[in-house]
Amino acid sequence: MKTYTNTGNKDTRSGFGAGLTELGKKNENVVALCADLIGSLKMDEFKANHPERFFQVGIAEANMIGLAAGMTIGGKIPFTGTFANFSTGRVYDQIRQSVAYSHKNVKICASHAGLTLGEDGATHQILEDIGLMKMLPGMTVINTCDYNQTKAATIAIANHHGPVYLRFGRPKVANFTAEDQTFEIGKAVQLTEGTDVTIVATGHLVWEALEASKALHEEGISAEVINIHTIKPLDKDAILNSVAKTGCIVTAEEHNYLGGLGESVARVLAENNPSPQEFVATNDTFGESGTPAQLMEKYGLNANAIIKATKNVLTRK
Amino acid sequence: MPNTQQLEDLTTQVRRDILRMVHKVNSGHPGGSLGCAEFFVALFQNIMDRKDTFHMDGIGEDIFFLSNGHISPVFYSILARSGYFPVDELNTFRLINSRLQGHPTTHEGLPGVRVASGSLGQGFSVAIGAAQTKKLNNDNHLVYSLHGDGELQEGQNWEGIMYAAAHKVDNIISTIDLNGQQIDGATDDVLSLGSVKAKFEAFGWTVVEIEEGNNMDAILNGMEHAKTLTGQGKPVCVLLKTVMGNGVDFMMHTHAWHGKAPNDEQLAIGLAQNDETIGDY
């Protein structure tokens, strides 16, 4: 089976920062706004390079979203930066009316998503943001898996006209996708070929899915791992083609099973090819303080959880 | 440029449009619309340096944002009367498949609308963002916005108001429709705003007061004065004291007609108080 090498742990938020820096040099219409989290979002370099195109908003996320919507009028491409919780739940109505319904070309860039934010605890660990954003008509929803992919996605979304939610995280995780990749919105990436089970994962769970597939391979179970970086629009063909071959699926995400990737996949299967599915996701719960690894273990969001889910789903074929 | 009499004649026609639009569908917001009729006519016919055809980006022209989207009847009337779309389309207000939604939106592509509004308190942020883009584009034109007074109870306004002063956004003229009324009653009774003037000044804005917000000359003079105060490092706020329901005697000075349409008899009385001037749609 195809294997992937971790070229060294890196945080996805730094991939965002690097992508934004590159965009700043290439596209003078790109502007950036941040709500008092420049360091956390890795926006320092863009700010230093283009002070006239960088806007410190202070701790006022609702205003930031509205400002970004307004800045599009006249041709700017605003990238907003704050934590995922403050990028979505706190400002849902502002995004809904001023950005999504108004179809403004705003890129909502959200770091520290999910449990891997760690010790700050549940107030900051949003596990509902994918659901909130995917329900908005016209919103593109992306959750990248590593540094290289986050950098590529950041650059790619500037060329997509329309609102985008780009989700990434805080911890240093395996960096394994190609440095020179072209990021194609809505196009799933098949990482391994397999015949027994399809594993579709998004965000930090993609590497865990690869780790799980290696262990399963040693037990004689052939897993096809697909990286679904774009939850909306969902690559239905990639899912259906794979499940037609394997007959069952495991979905894996750092998000509540309600409203997440798994539900989107379940709908595609229900409409086209009803198949056994297991969900690796949080079970309608808030998180808590702890290290990222402890939290992912406790809430069942790692390679071991994917292996267990795979064995369950195989019994249902 | 039209003279005061012509502007007043158009205002009378706009009042008729408002009454007929909300009457036809038995819904909509006549009170605040009537209170701002003179302001909209002055703004679109005299104050703003705007292009005849609509371009979303509004480059090289003054642009306007309506934050209190529920007064869509007056907005739609002046947009149509200013040539953005056919006046006959006012017949479709709030009907299914119409571009004239209950609250203004870009979603159906109505010329003249640059952002959806209706959920209150979002207009300051959008207008300020657009003003900053004008600066980035070296576009010396102005951004105008209108906000309800009750709407100022929403917290997001004050985030934007604080931001605009801190970032020296001095190419914006934001007008507050100070009619002292909101759905549940007088603003003083629902949630007192205190001194709006003192609040804006404390937040670093230059404030212009128009005491007679339904007097065309007072509006023209006040807005021209406001223009002279732009470009001086501070955002400009106009406090426009209006009478809700102005021009229809039984609708004046009360919140009762905030979101209520007149019946046939009431419509006839209202229209009788506002004779047709440039022609009904």
Side-chain angles (χ1 to χ4, degrees):
Chain A
M1 64 178 275
K2 191 170 178 185
T3 57
Y4 291 83
T5 306
N6 176 11
T7 59
N9 285 4
K10 280 177 132 176
D11 47 353
T12 50
R13 57 182 164 145
S14 286
F16 164 68
L20 191 64
T21 296
E22 196 168 313
L23 267 182
K25 292 171 184 165
K26 287 201 307 200
N27 189 337
E28 66 177 21
N29 281 326
V30 169
V31 299
L33 303 90
C34 186
D36 196 29
L37 286 168
I38 296 170
S40 296
L41 269 288
K42 308 295 181 187
M43 297 170 91
D44 324 64
E45 204 172 341
F46 182 97
K47 182 191 175 198
N49 292 348
H50 315 285
E52 76 291 354
R53 283 194 268 145
F54 181 84
F55 301 92
Q56 171 61 272
V57 174
I59 310 165
E61 295 83 6
N63 185 43
M64 177 167 72
I65 296 298
L67 288 170
M71 284 179 184
T72 65
I73 298 164
K76 299 304 168 199
I77 307 170
F79 281 63
T80 66
T82 183
F83 291 170
N85 189 22
F86 313 136
S87 292
T88 57
R90 190 176 180 97
V91 292
Y92 196 68
D93 190 46
Q94 285 77 19
I95 295 175
R96 182 175 181 274
Q97 175 171 285
S98 293
V99 176
Y101 185 43
S102 296
H103 199 67
K104 296 304 182 200
N105 194 22
V106 174
K107 316 304 172 187
I108 300 160
C109 303
S111 184
H112 293 56
L115 291 175
T116 51
L117 171 141
E119 292 81 351
D120 278 349
T123 53
H124 289 50
Q125 293 162 338
I126 195 162
L127 294 163
E128 310 92 46
D129 54 323
I130 290 174
L132 287 169
M133 291 297 106
K134 82 176 185 183
M135 283 198 295
L136 289 170
M139 181 68 74
T140 294
V141 180
I142 297 170
N143 186 18
T144 47
C145 68
D146 70 355
Y147 173 97
N148 286 342
Q149 189 172 69
T150 308
K151 182 180 175 187
T154 302
I155 293 164
I157 61 176
N159 292 323
H160 168 85
H161 190 88
V164 175
Y165 179 61
L166 178 63
R167 180 193 211 236
F168 43 91
R170 174 175 183 254
K172 289 189 165 74
V173 294
N175 188 29
F176 60 96
T177 64
E179 196 176 347
D180 61 350
Q181 66 188 284
T182 301
F183 186 90
E184 203 175 331
I185 295 170
K187 183 77 179 162
V189 182
Q190 185 180 319
L191 295 171
T192 67
E193 276 189 53
T195 52
D196 296 328
V197 62
T198 300
I199 302 175
V200 298
T202 191
H204 292 144
L205 271 292
V206 176
W207 178 253
E208 297 297 322
L210 286 172
E211 293 288 282
S213 73
K214 279 198 280 188
L216 290 165
H217 182 72
E218 285 171 18
E219 295 185 45
I221 298 167
S222 169
E224 184 151 292
V225 177
I226 299 174
N227 173 7
I228 301 276
H229 51 61
T230 307
I231 290 123
K232 183 184 173 186
L234 190 63
D235 189 343
K236 295 175 189 173
D237 290 344
I239 293 163
L240 291 171
N241 289 341
S242 182
V243 173
K245 186 169 58 173
T246 63
C248 64
I249 193 164
V250 171
T251 55
E253 59 194 308
E254 190 179 345
H255 190 273
N256 194 347
Y257 77 90
L258 293 170
L261 166 68
E263 281 195 350
S264 290
V265 170
R267 175 175 168 273
V268 169
L269 293 174
E271 282 185 339
N272 297 281
N273 180 15
S275 308
Q277 178 178 355
E278 294 281 328
F279 298 76
V280 172
T282 56
N283 185 19
D284 197 17
T285 181
F286 291 104
E288 62 181 288
S289 293
T291 68
Q294 286 170 336
L295 291 163
M296 297 297 261
E297 174 66 25
K298 176 168 178 175
Y299 289 85
L301 300 180
N302 55 17
N304 286 335
I306 294 170
I307 292 166
K308 190 176 161 197
T310 300
K311 290 179 177 173
N312 284 342
V313 83
L314 287 171
T315 67
R316 296 170 52 204
K317 274 173 82 168
Chain B
M1 195 163 288
N3 61 34
T4 301
Q5 184 59 51
Q6 289 168 316
L7 293 174
E8 285 173 349
D9 286 348
L10 178 54
T11 302
T12 304
Q13 192 64 50
V14 166
R15 284 196 207 110
R16 290 180 66 89
D17 291 350
I18 293 165
L19 291 169
R20 294 176 66 231
M21 287 163 75
V22 298
H23 169 264
K24 180 180 176 186
V25 292
N26 193 29
S27 73
H29 298 77
S33 295
L34 290 166
C36 291
E38 291 86 355
F39 174 78
F40 272 89
V41 169
L43 192 70
F44 277 81
Q45 295 291 312
N46 182 302
I47 301 296
M48 285 203 297
D49 175 19
R50 58 181 181 80
K51 294 179 177 169
D52 291 336
T53 53
F54 179 69
H55 304 277
M56 176 57 82
D57 281 334
I59 291 171
E61 63 177 325
D62 293 343
I63 60 176
F64 169 76
F65 294 96
L66 177 65
S67 187
N68 47 333
H70 56 275
I71 66 167
S72 56
V74 65
F75 190 27
Y76 294 153
S77 171
I78 196 63
L79 287 177
R81 299 284 176 183
S82 301
Y84 287 104
F85 58 84
V87 289
D88 281 351
E89 201 169 339
L90 296 176
N91 270 311
T92 70
F93 175 62
R94 286 186 173 233
L95 296 179
I96 195 152
N97 298 323
S98 171
R99 298 196 291 181
L100 279 61
Q101 291 288 296
H103 294 78
T105 173
T106 60
H107 197 257
E108 324 302 334
L110 186 70
V113 182
R114 289 193 167 84
V115 75
S117 60
S119 177
L120 294 172
Q122 300 188 26
F124 263 109
S125 303
V126 175
I128 293 161
Q132 290 198 294
T133 284
K134 283 212 176 289
K135 283 180 177 270
L136 286 172
N137 288 341
N138 296 314
D139 180 346
N140 291 325
H141 286 79
L142 296 173
V143 172
Y144 290 86
S145 61
L146 180 66
H147 315 258
D149 50 1
E151 184 183 10
L152 294 178
Q153 290 156 0
E154 291 281 6
Q156 185 187 345
N157 291 300
W158 301 99
E159 295 182 7
I161 292 163
M162 186 185 298
Y163 175 93
H167 285 257
K168 298 183 169 50
V169 182
D170 59 3
N171 56 343
I172 186 168
I173 300 176
S174 295
T175 298
I176 310 298
D177 176 19
L178 277 185
N179 61 25
Q181 305 286 337
Q182 58 190 110
I183 297 178
D184 278 352
T187 50
D188 279 344
D189 296 332
V190 177
L191 181 63
S192 177
L193 302 169
S195 169
V196 177
K197 180 170 188 271
K199 283 183 167 66
F200 272 90
E201 287 178 343
F203 274 70
W205 287 54
T206 299
V207 176
V208 173
E209 293 181 280
I210 300 179
E211 294 291 337
E212 294 179 76
N214 297 107
N215 178 304
M216 188 58 73
D217 283 330
I219 295 169
L220 295 174
N221 291 336
M223 294 304 289
E224 285 300 333
H225 177 54
K227 276 194 215 178
T228 68
L229 299 170
T230 59
Q232 297 181 21
K234 292 169 76 172
V236 178
C237 169
V238 173
L239 301 181
L240 184 75
K241 292 184 185 164
T242 69
V243 174
M244 202 173 196
N246 187 60
V248 178
D249 58 7
F250 61 90
M251 290 186 174
M252 293 170 70
H253 302 287
T254 171
H255 65 275
W257 295 90
H258 167 92
K260 186 175 129 186
N263 61 27
D264 293 348
E265 188 185 344
Q266 290 160 335
L267 173 70
I269 296 169
L271 293 179
Q273 294 171 12
N274 292 277
D275 288 336
E276 199 170 338
T277 55
I278 62 169
D280 285 339
Y281 61 83

